[in-house]
Amino acid sequence: MAMSMKPSSANLFNYYNKQKLAQQCSESTNSLQLSMRHMNLQDPPQQPSQEPRPHMRSLRPRALDLSSQPSQEIQCTPDYLTPQEQLFRMDYEPSSMQLDDEVSRSPLPSPRAQKRPRPLKAHPTGPADEECSSQSQSRSMGGEPSTCSKALSGRPPIPKLREIQPPMPRNPYLVRADDDNHVFQASQSCLNRGSYSRFLWDYHQEVELGHGNFSKVYRAVHRLTGVAFAVKTNRSPITTLQARNMWLNEMQALAAVQHHPNIVGLYDAWFEPDVRGDAEQAYLKLELCGDSLGGAFKRRMLMKEQDVLDMLRQMASALKRIHELGMVHLDVKPDNIYMAVGHSLGSGGGGVYKLGDFGLAVVQGGQRAGTSEGDSKYLAPEALKSRDFLNSGLADRLDIFALGASAYELLRGSELPKNGQPYHDIRAGKIFLPGSNQRLVALLKKMMAPDPAQRPTAEQLLKSSLLNTAAGAGHSQPNPSTPQPLSQ
């Protein structure tokens, strides 16, 4: 007896697939026949009408009758060769390019979906990277460039910026030039115009110690070390090259005469942009001293003869150092002579004095950075007669006259005249100091002689018996607690 066999699951699956494929082929054949019948491919082509055409202007577009047109589904032959998964989608939006399973239906990726190349890794992480690293090392040792280094070139190298060095002008007080006669070399500014202030950042400004026509001096404490200094700066912003050169001249002159016990020490000097506008500020970090003799004189503090003799001897030593370098100070006066820290007037000798303010300093026979000739109360008579006094060969005697006039003013207890007949009488040698030591009066008359050739030099002043006697009586020594300048 024949028994009906139940097909297995695999055979049943193949059976249904064959039935489905046969049904699809039948439907495709019917659809193709229907499409060919509708298009009337067997009918002969119609002949064009021989009637005359109307004028083009009389023609008007007629409304399209969609009822008589075949449907869109049977207007063209469908594509039965390309699988459904590879048909193009006309919508290029990223959202429409992805299906539910995030698989693109387009054979080529959209331009928006292309991945950008990643930068080359700095360190090798695999065998391929190690091979590329070894090839690049062999290239650096002189070998040929490898294909791996060309393929993994990465980003183009960033060009190195050219480092601009700030200007470095020649110091005429330290290095002399044989090819020219210029005293000062102009320097253009090369600063970054920013809001950073080195002075305000590194120092705490406390009180103003004094001021002049062009400058002012503050007591400033270094924020990190707590050491106090005297910082000199300009009153008006520096806007011209001539004004900048005047400050640079003072920096260079003061740096050339350093390490002298009777000259104010210079620690540092710099320019920085002015925060108030397109200008510059100059800063000189100086040794902190006590009051000036001019300030003590204004407070009616009289100096004794022993104090004046000590001042003359120490200032002669400072001028000797200045004149040996071929330099002239041109601004010796009580306002620029300072007492060292820890010393005061009225002690009967033993004070330490320091000469400062080298803003008008100049080399003998050279050109000046500024136009000022100094304070008229202490100006020698030859400077009033000719402006070529620096080329006379006796320019150093201008400082000797100013030093004698300063001592004369401190001894007489009243301010020297600025003009008139008394002004010219002093320059004619008429000096009166009733009750003072006659040897001291004779020395002052010699220092303030109308003829500069009759005045002693700084070295001759130091050899004077009167000043040597004052040195033995005073025993003045520099203050060892004063910090030494850092400049050379």
Side-chain angles (χ1 to χ4, degrees), residues 254 257-266 287 289 293 307 309-322 329 332-333 336-340 343 350-358 403 462 471 475-479 482 484-485:
L254 192 54
V257 297
Q258 281 305 287
H259 305 295
H260 192 280
N262 301 117
I263 296 178
V264 176
L266 174 67
E287 175 187 356
C289 300
L293 296 184
D307 296 332
L309 291 175
D310 288 341
M311 184 271 297
L312 287 175
R313 180 182 55 80
Q314 296 180 35
M315 290 299 101
S317 177
L319 291 178
K320 180 177 179 295
R321 166 67 172 170
I322 295 173
H329 190 277
V332 179
K333 58 183 179 180
N336 295 333
I337 301 175
Y338 302 91
M339 294 287 298
H343 297 264
V352 178
Y353 304 91
K354 294 178 178 291
L355 180 62
D357 198 348
F358 283 70
L403 180 59
L462 290 176
H475 300 288
S476 61
Q477 297 293 334
N479 187 10
T482 303
Q484 294 297 321

Side-chain angles (χ1 to χ4, degrees), residues 77-141:
T77 304
D79 186 6
Y80 296 101
L81 299 180
T82 305
Q84 293 291 334
E85 290 78 5
Q86 296 185 8
L87 290 178
F88 282 96
R89 302 177 71 95
M90 301 307 294
D91 191 2
Y92 285 94
E93 292 296 329
S95 58
S96 63
M97 296 297 294
Q98 301 294 333
L99 298 178
D100 296 340
D101 55 353
E102 297 183 358
V103 178
S104 176
R105 291 284 185 174
S106 175
L108 295 177
S110 173
R112 297 184 180 180
Q114 292 181 358
K115 295 184 179 180
R116 298 181 180 178
R118 296 183 180 179
L120 187 62
K121 296 182 180 180
H123 303 283
T125 57
D129 296 337
E130 293 178 358
E131 181 182 359
C132 295
S133 177
S134 62
Q135 292 181 5
S136 62
Q137 292 178 2
S138 63
R139 179 186 177 185
S140 62
M141 295 176 62

Side-chain angles (χ1 to χ4, degrees), residues 462-482:
L462 290 176
K463 296 179 180 180
S464 173
S465 59
L466 181 62
L467 297 184
N468 289 330
T469 304
H475 300 288
S476 61
Q477 297 293 334
N479 187 10
S481 62
T482 303

Side-chain angles (χ1 to χ4, degrees), residues 144-303:
E144 294 295 330
S146 61
T147 57
C148 183
S149 61
K150 294 180 180 178
L152 300 180
S153 58
R155 296 182 180 178
I158 301 176
K160 295 183 179 180
L161 298 179
R162 184 179 179 183
E163 183 178 358
I164 301 178
Q165 296 291 338
M168 186 174 179
R170 174 179 58 87
N171 190 337
Y173 306 105
L174 294 177
V175 180
R176 301 298 171 84
D178 299 333
D179 55 347
D180 57 9
N181 296 324
H182 294 285
V183 173
F184 190 78
Q185 179 180 357
S187 173
Q188 293 287 350
S189 175
C190 187
L191 296 177
N192 183 17
R193 299 294 177 179
S195 58
Y196 169 75
S197 174
R198 175 184 173 187
F199 173 68
L200 297 179
W201 184 263
D202 294 344
Y203 300 92
H204 173 64
Q205 177 180 323
E206 291 188 343
V207 295
E208 181 178 339
L209 300 177
H211 63 271
N213 295 330
F214 305 100
S215 62
K216 51 187 176 181
V217 182
Y218 293 99
R219 186 180 189 272
V221 178
H222 192 261
R223 297 183 185 272
L224 298 181
T225 61
V227 180
F229 300 93
V231 178
K232 181 179 181 180
T233 184
N234 48 290
R235 298 187 64 176
S236 302
I238 300 175
T239 57
T240 61
L241 185 59
Q242 181 182 5
R244 190 178 196 272
N245 288 341
M246 291 181 60
W247 281 94
L248 184 58
N249 176 69
E250 181 175 1
M251 296 174 184
Q252 293 181 339
L254 192 54
V257 297
Q258 281 305 287
H259 305 295
H260 192 280
N262 301 117
I263 296 178
V264 176
L266 174 67
Y267 294 90
D268 198 1
W270 69 91
F271 289 95
E272 66 182 39
D274 188 87
V275 296
R276 295 170 290 181
D278 189 13
E280 281 185 325
Q281 286 289 125
Y283 292 94
L284 280 79
K285 180 181 174 182
L286 304 172
E287 175 187 356
L288 183 62
C289 300
D291 196 8
S292 65
L293 296 184
F297 178 79
K298 294 176 182 178
R299 294 196 302 270
R300 302 296 181 179
M301 295 182 62
L302 298 179
M303 293 185 64

Side-chain angles (χ1 to χ4, degrees), residues 375-388:
D375 199 326
S376 60
K377 295 189 299 182
Y378 315 98
L379 194 60
E382 62 268 22
L384 301 175
K385 298 178 182 179
S386 174
R387 291 187 176 272
D388 198 28

Side-chain angles (χ1 to χ4, degrees), residues 392-413:
S392 61
L394 301 174
D396 57 328
R397 313 300 168 86
L398 293 168
D399 294 338
I400 302 299
F401 182 92
L403 180 59
S406 300
Y408 179 54
E409 184 181 49
L410 295 175
L411 286 173
R412 61 179 277 175

